[in-house]
Amino acid sequence: MPIRIGVAGWSVPSKLAAEFPSAGTHLERYGTRFSAVEINSSFYRPHQQKTYVRWAASVPPDFRFSIKLPKAITHEQRFVGCQDLVTRFAEETSGLGNKRGPILVQLPPNFAYPGEIAEQFLHDLKAIINGPVVLEPRHESWFQPEVDKMLKRQHVSRVAADPARFASAALPGGWNGLAYFRLHGSPRIYESLYSVETVQAHANSVAALNACGTDVWTIYDNTTFGAATQNTLELIEALKQPHGHLMD
């Protein structure tokens, strides 16, 4: 199973420009070094299908995009009455073809577990998308054994986030066929560079999960000052030690 490592967004920080080819768009340059990227702009506004087609054509065949589900679905409708929105999103992002990776469903911190509403929504989303889904809940009610069982039934993975709101949020949950880490920087969220020791510790965790047959994604979101790109390069190097199969 592949290990995928990338950034939330594909800008190339000027201080790290020498690590990338000088020619091409930011995405083309980014795609020469990294195997994945997380699209967050889709959370705020739709993109035309032809835009996704263009992005897919800019990267190598084995590159994958994860895409954040629109906030209209997760934060405004809160899973209710949004099948048309999901269908539109699926049609737009189908422009990525087989380069479309996990759909990231991030929930607002005050969105408590709604029981059957969540189970039905995830079932319908999986059917429409016909691909992997990862869920990032941020209310404590989602971190219960019965919710974890529901996610496993749906083949939906729970995101592991740093900084974590509670201890269990730091670990992957739900379906164990895919682990998805979102690392935002600590102690200063979106800003702080993770230390070499922290990156190495994460590399060890990734390698251990991957050895068990899990598809592992790591997305760095400490992007404010370019730390995400540096940490991504460091994690790739750490995993180039004898750790198993790395796609970079």
Side-chain angles (χ1 to χ4, degrees), residues 133-192:
V133 171
V134 296
L135 177 72
E136 186 179 10
R138 293 185 287 174
H139 188 278
E140 198 164 10
S141 60
W142 290 82
F143 297 84
Q144 308 297 331
E146 63 270 22
V147 180
D148 211 55
K149 290 177 183 176
M150 181 274 290
L151 294 176
K152 288 177 180 176
R153 288 197 303 271
Q154 299 285 356
H155 280 204
V156 170
S157 303
R158 193 186 71 230
V159 168
D162 182 76
R165 291 174 176 266
F166 4 87
S168 50
L171 302 172
W175 183 55
N176 64 5
L178 178 108
Y180 195 101
F181 293 88
R182 301 190 79 224
L183 309 179
H184 301 288
S186 182
R188 296 189 309 279
I189 190 168
Y190 305 128
E191 297 181 3
S192 293

Side-chain angles (χ1 to χ4, degrees), residues 71-178:
K71 67 176 181 178
I73 297 169
T74 54
H75 288 53
E76 296 167 17
Q77 300 290 106
R78 297 192 178 218
F79 295 169
V80 177
C82 52
Q83 185 166 349
D84 288 348
L85 291 172
V86 172
T87 300
R88 174 184 172 180
F89 175 79
E91 290 172 350
E92 290 165 351
T93 59
S94 69
L96 294 172
N98 62 7
K99 294 175 184 172
R100 185 173 69 183
I103 304 304
L104 169 63
V105 183
Q106 186 194 60
L107 305 183
N110 62 357
F111 188 179
Y113 179 57
E116 290 183 6
I117 291 173
E119 187 159 9
Q120 186 64 52
F121 173 80
L122 292 171
H123 175 272
D124 294 346
L125 176 64
K126 290 274 294 183
I128 293 170
I129 291 292
N130 191 28
V133 171
V134 296
L135 177 72
E136 186 179 10
R138 293 185 287 174
H139 188 278
E140 198 164 10
S141 60
W142 290 82
F143 297 84
Q144 308 297 331
E146 63 270 22
V147 180
D148 211 55
K149 290 177 183 176
M150 181 274 290
L151 294 176
K152 288 177 180 176
R153 288 197 303 271
Q154 299 285 356
H155 280 204
V156 170
S157 303
R158 193 186 71 230
V159 168
D162 182 76
R165 291 174 176 266
F166 4 87
S168 50
L171 302 172
W175 183 55
N176 64 5
L178 178 108

Side-chain angles (χ1 to χ4, degrees), residues 10-46:
W10 53 73
S11 62
V12 176
S14 57
K15 66 181 180 180
L16 293 170
E19 299 286 343
F20 299 85
S22 57
T25 65
H26 277 273
L27 179 55
E28 288 169 339
R29 297 165 66 203
Y30 176 101
T32 66
R33 295 298 311 271
F34 301 150
S35 61
V37 73
E38 183 182 276
I39 299 174
N40 277 262
S41 55
S42 54
F43 178 74
Y44 301 100
R45 63 186 184 279

